[in-house]
Structure formats: C-alpha cells, structure tokens
Amino acid sequence: MSFAIHILEFLAIAFVMTLGAMSAVALGLFVIDRTQTGDAIRRNYPVIGRFRHLFTALGEFFRQYFFAMDREEMPFNRAQRDWVARASGGKGNTIAFGSTRNLNIPGTPIFVNAAFPPLDDQFASTEPLVIGPHAREPYVAPSIFNISGMSYGAISRPAVEALSYGAKEAGIWLNTGEGGLSPYHLKSGCDIVYQIGTAKYGVRDGNGGISDDKLRNVAAHPQVKMFELKIAQGAKPGKGGILPGAKINEEISQIRGIPVGKDSYSPNRHPDISNFDELLDMIGHIREVTGKPVGFKTVAGTPEPFEELFALIRRRGLECAPDFITIDGGEGGTGASPMPLMDLVGMPIREGMLMVEDLRDTYGLRDRIRLIASGKLVNPGDVAWAIATGADFVVSGRGFMFALGCIQALKCNKNTCPTGITTHDPKLQKGLVVEDKRCRVANYAKSVISEVEMIAHSVGVAEPRQMRRRHVRIVQPDGTSRLMSDVYPRSEPLY
Ligand SMILES: Cc1cc2nc3c(=O)[nH]c(=O)nc-3n(C[C@H](O)[C@H](O)[C@H](O)COP(=O)(O)O)c2cc1C
C-alpha cells in the first residue's frame, strides 16, 4: 500500500514539475516572440503562432501520404510514380477494377484501337535507328527510350553508377548532363551521350572556349557515342546551370575545374554561339574533331527560330545540320532553378514537339535530323504519345530518378535528399545501394519500352515508330475527342 502511495506521490511531483517546466519554456518563448521583429504572426500571437510553421511543414507529408488523390499531385502524381515503382520492381504491372484516370480533361491523349490488331507472331521490336550518317562514326541507337542529362554533381556518385549499370543492362544510352564525364559514367560500359553545357565543363580551354584536345580525349572513349550541346533546358531557358556550393566536393571540383564549396554558375548561353550560323559552325567543328554525331538540346518557344535554322540548313547544305535536336518541355525538371523560369518560360512538350516535328518535315529534314523529346514523359502512354507525334526517341530524367527511389521530396537544390540521389552526404548516400538500384533502372526502361510496344500493337501497327498522329485522339474542351492528325494537320512540304 505504502509503495503505491510513494509511486503516486512521485507521479504527482513529476507532473507538477513538468507543468512548471513547460510554463517556463512557454514564458521564455512568449518573451522571445513578442520582442522579435522579423515574424508578424509570432509577434502578434506569441507561442501559438509557432504552430503555423510546424503545421505548414507537416502538411507537405500529410497531403502526400494521406489526403492527395492519386491523380492530383505535382509535378508527378501518385499514379505516375506508382507505375514507375511497380515497373522498377520488375513484378507484374497490372492494376485492378478500372482506370482512375479522368478521360474528360482537355488535351488528354486517347489511342485509337485497331479493329484487328496484329497477332502475337506479327509483332516486331523497335528497330535501331542511325543518328549522324555524315559523322565518321554514326551511332546506331538501339532504344527509343533513354536517360536524359543529369550531371554528376546534381546527382550523386551511387546514382550515376546505378544509372550507368542499369543503362548497360537495358541497352539504352546515358546522357552525362553538363557536369563532365566521371569514372562512374564509364564503369559499366553503357553508351554515353556527352553533354556540353554553357560552362563547357570537362572540355573547356583557358579562355572559356572549347578545347579540341579535351574533346578528342573524351571522344577517344569508345562508349561516348554522341555529343549534345546544351543551348537551353525546359526548367530554366535563358539561364545557366546552378550547382550549389554544398554539393561541390573535391572530386566534382576536379572533374568540372571549379573551386570546392562555392556555388558554380554557368553562363546563361554559350558566349561563342550567338546565332544559328555560329551554332552550325560549332556543331560542324565538334563533329570534325570527335568524328561522332553532334546535336543540341533546346526548348521550343515559337516557330520562327526553327524556321530560320531549317532554312539556313537548306541553304548551307544538309551535311551541316545537327544530327539530332532534343526538345525539352517547359515542364522539365532540374537540380535548381528560379521559380518563374520553372513555372512560366518555355512551351510544354505536348505543344513544342508537334510544332518542331512539323517544321522539320516541312523543310524535308526528317531523315537528316533525329528528334528527341523530353518533359514529364515517364509512363508508357506519354512515351507512346511522343513517338506517335513524330519524335524518334524519348529521354527521361525524373522517371529514372523514381526508378532510383526518388520520393519527390523536392530537395534536389539542397544537399539533403533523403534517398541519396541528389546529395553528396555519405550518410544519406548509404540508402542508395547500387546493386539493387541498377536492376530497378534496367527494369523500368525495359517495362516502358515493352508497354509502348504493347500500345503500338493495340493501335494496329507492328512497332512504335509506325504510329502516326492518326492513331491518337485528343480530348477537346467539350469532352469529345478528335484525331490528333485533324487537330494538328501537317503543313505542305517545301522540299
Ligand atoms: C536533378 C536534375 C538534374 C538535371 N541536370 C541536367 C543537366 O545537367 N543538363 C540538362 O540538359 N538537363 C538537366 N536536367 C533536365 C533533364 O535532363 C530533363 O531535360 C528534364 O528534367 C525533363 O525530363 P523529365 O521530365 O523526364 O525529368 C536535370 C534534371 C534534374 C531533375
């Protein structure tokens, strides 16, 4: 009995002391909040005002895990992310009961099913396609779906390694992004596209121009199949790359030739390319020095620049043309960019791709310039749409980040990515196990390709590149759908 009374006494004292301590802390916070001048809410509502910050931070997680519907999050909704997660897991990717997709939203593509699709033994796999027939070493690209540029620096060492091994296993290319070529890109032996950004990391001479010797060194790697000049990317057209200082360690500083720990800004355009003549000259020069196909990456805004470029190519001769053009949509992602550029500048890929593809064909350049599409094309339906509009290839960045385990924490611009993908903090990188994630990368790529082929068969053709605009209907504002070939008719060819 007396033991129980002692316990009760102890609990009562502990309770009173806890209350006292809490009141003292609350009083301290009250004084701090009332006297500080930076935060109006905390000054007017001391202590309680602090909960606003807490709930705002927690709200992000509550929305994602409990409240957001399958199709409503941005930039990628749960249905899109879950598809990638299932595909990467390599297990069956079927769902039950019925689609959760709202098919009345204007712009939604719907594929036209064939009355009599090809039989199983009439299916063909996607054929490899030659890029750069005039280069000394043209590239016979095996896959329609590949990995878009994400630099070593923006993403981590294990992320690059897992992408590289996964690319090798799936038979797809890996674009280096603008941060140069690291040993981790090369390790697996996969096909590599070397991207030259405006800072020309890895191939820069002493004056910020291009170094032929360094270009030759990069091209000497047999795995490096093509070079891509980055003119613009969808998340920040007109702005150079930003690599926060927190992400620049000793190794990255050496590969890029920049100081450790200091923010690194690339110029907002190539200082030595200020018009299309100079662009074609630079492309011709890199092709001559390296012997490999050369193209560029940009974002569509209006038709005029493309008309000017294609007309110029016609005047100068087809050989001078870029071997490929990557069109990135304004909805593209990045490690770090100012919000107005991310939100508001650059045509979405669903408009830009149609426009550029139409112009390329109008100027008779279909067989000369390959088109590569990117911008939230992460699920098979998106990729099939792009191929049906006339893209020759599709590349994805964030689709492969999801395969690596990205949870869309939106922290790529800090050094705190919880999944180890966009951080150089060794503790966080431990979560990204290359041996596991390389398989997920390969599984994801293979699933996208096989399901795009499945859509192609369903619309009645033997392989994806035989799909045309007439195989897709686009939902209109009144809820009906029209053939994409009627909504976006082709212009009369000029050549
Ligand atoms: C973390 C991250 C880093 C990126 N780094 C580059 C880069 O170095 N060069 C580039 O051209 N694009 C870069 N991008 C853009 C992607 O290559 C791609 O164009 C864009 O995200 C659209 O594709 P997606 O929607 O499939 O991600 C980056 C994107 C992300 C998310």
Side-chain angles (χ1 to χ4, degrees):
M1 186 65 179
S2 75
F3 178 71
I5 289 172
H6 275 106
I7 295 274
L8 278 175
E9 270 175 9
F10 173 77
L11 287 176
I13 292 169
F15 179 68
V16 171
M17 284 181 72
T18 310
L19 268 187
M22 283 169 64
S23 308
V25 170
L27 189 67
L29 292 176
F30 184 92
V31 174
I32 293 172
D33 287 353
R34 191 57 111 195
T35 51
Q36 59 82 38
T37 52
D39 185 332
I41 295 293
R42 275 168 54 213
R43 199 168 159 84
N44 289 342
Y45 304 95
V47 187
I48 317 172
R50 288 176 177 259
F51 286 96
R52 190 178 164 275
H53 293 284
L54 180 68
F55 292 151
T56 306
L58 288 178
E60 191 183 317
F61 299 103
F62 277 96
R63 282 193 298 279
Q64 176 165 6
Y65 293 117
F66 300 116
F67 301 121
M69 303 297 283
D70 276 359
R71 303 270 180 180
E72 70 181 18
E73 277 171 285
M74 290 293 266
F76 294 89
N77 61 45
R78 195 182 298 131
Q80 290 169 305
R81 299 196 313 265
D82 282 356
W83 188 90
V84 179
R86 286 194 303 271
S88 310
K91 302 191 187 92
N93 208 355
T94 53
I95 53 172
F97 202 61
S99 171
T100 59
R101 183 164 194 156
N102 181 351
L103 296 179
N104 295 323
I105 298 172
T108 302
I110 295 171
F111 291 87
V112 179
N113 58 300
F116 302 101
L119 288 169
D120 287 353
D121 59 358
Q122 294 165 333
F123 292 171
S125 296
T126 321
E127 288 292 313
L129 196 64
V130 176
I131 309 179
H134 300 290
R136 289 196 297 283
E137 293 176 50
Y139 176 40
V140 185
S143 169
I144 42 168
F145 187 60
N146 301 280
I147 306 177
S148 191
M150 291 180 288
S151 62
Y152 174 42
I155 60 172
S156 65
R157 177 191 55 72
V160 173
E161 259 185 61
L163 289 176
S164 166
Y165 280 108
K168 176 70 183 170
E169 191 186 320
I172 64 179
W173 81 59
L174 167 65
N175 187 312
T176 59
E178 60 185 303
L181 187 61
S182 73
Y184 316 112
H185 290 105
L186 291 166
K187 240 175 168 176
S188 73
C190 69
D191 289 355
I192 286 175
V193 177
Y194 187 97
Q195 188 181 72
I196 305 174
T198 52
K200 301 188 174 64
Y201 293 125
V203 290
R204 189 174 49 204
D205 67 13
N207 306 317
I210 203 140
S211 154
D212 290 355
D213 286 341
K214 290 183 180 168
L215 269 181
R216 270 187 217 101
N217 287 344
V218 173
H221 293 284
Q223 289 162 251
V224 174
K225 301 293 182 192
M226 306 200 288
F227 286 80
E228 179 180 68
L229 266 172
K230 188 180 116 175
I231 302 299
Q233 85 178 76
K236 46 186 172 189
K239 181 138 186 75
I242 310 166
L243 188 63
K247 295 175 88 173
I248 306 178
N249 59 23
E250 194 66 47
E251 190 185 37
I252 288 167
S253 93
Q254 274 182 12
I255 292 173
R256 296 196 183 210
I258 51 174
V260 178
K262 275 195 171 169
D263 291 357
S264 174
Y265 296 93
S266 317
N268 68 323
R269 76 162 163 78
H270 287 271
D272 41 2
I273 306 176
S274 54
N275 55 50
F276 284 121
D277 259 314
E278 288 176 1
L279 175 63
L280 294 183
D281 290 345
M282 178 63 92
I283 286 171
H285 179 76
I286 300 173
R287 191 162 42 218
E288 184 49 40
V289 172
T290 63
K292 306 205 174 173
V294 184
F296 69 91
K297 171 169 177 171
T298 193
V299 186
T302 66
E304 289 79 13
F306 291 93
E307 284 167 349
E308 188 188 331
L309 171 66
F310 294 151
L312 182 65
I313 292 168
R314 276 287 162 188
R315 284 201 300 280
R316 283 181 53 160
L318 294 191
E319 279 204 18
C320 79
D323 297 305
F324 64 90
I325 302 177
T326 306
I327 301 294
D328 198 20
E331 64 277 72
T334 178
S337 163
M339 190 164 145
L341 294 185
M342 236 191 225
D343 280 353
L344 299 169
V345 184
M347 253 187 196
I349 191 65
R350 306 230 172 223
E351 204 179 347
M353 189 64 220
L354 283 155
M355 184 187 84
V356 178
E357 202 268 339
D358 199 30
L359 287 171
R360 174 191 68 169
D361 288 11
T362 306
Y363 282 83
L365 296 169
R366 168 170 275 272
D367 294 330
R368 178 65 188 93
I369 302 175
R370 303 298 184 204
L371 287 181
I372 303 173
S374 63
K376 290 175 79 167
L377 306 174
V378 302
N379 291 160
D382 310 318
V383 176
W385 167 87
I387 300 289
T389 62
D392 298 296
F393 301 92
V394 171
V395 289
S396 176
R398 286 167 294 176
F400 283 96
M401 287 175 73
F402 290 133
L404 288 172
C406 170
I407 56 164
Q408 197 165 270
L410 310 182
K411 297 203 185 306
C412 319
N413 59 340
K414 314 238 170 64
N415 201 21
T416 55
C417 169
T419 57
I421 300 171
T422 61
T423 174
H424 302 296
D425 180 339
K427 281 202 279 277
L428 293 169
Q429 286 185 1
K430 276 198 188 131
L432 201 168
V433 180
V434 174
E435 281 311 304
D436 174 75
K437 297 298 187 274
R438 59 188 272 187
C439 305
R440 295 180 60 85
V441 167
N443 286 340
Y444 168 56
K446 288 182 199 165
S447 297
V448 169
I449 295 163
S450 82
E451 294 207 7
V452 171
E453 286 172 350
M454 184 179 71
I455 294 174
H457 303 154
S458 180
V459 305
V461 297
E463 66 124 321
R465 289 204 187 95
Q466 292 175 10
M467 286 191 286
R468 297 291 175 263
R469 292 182 187 185
R470 66 174 185 279
H471 293 121
V472 185
R473 301 183 72 84
I474 303 288
V475 175
Q476 302 300 301
D478 66 3
T480 62
S481 66
R482 288 176 61 204
L483 282 182
M484 186 157 70
S485 47
D486 292 342
V487 182
Y488 300 101
R490 290 190 169 280
S491 313
E492 282 299 307
L494 296 171
Y495 293 89

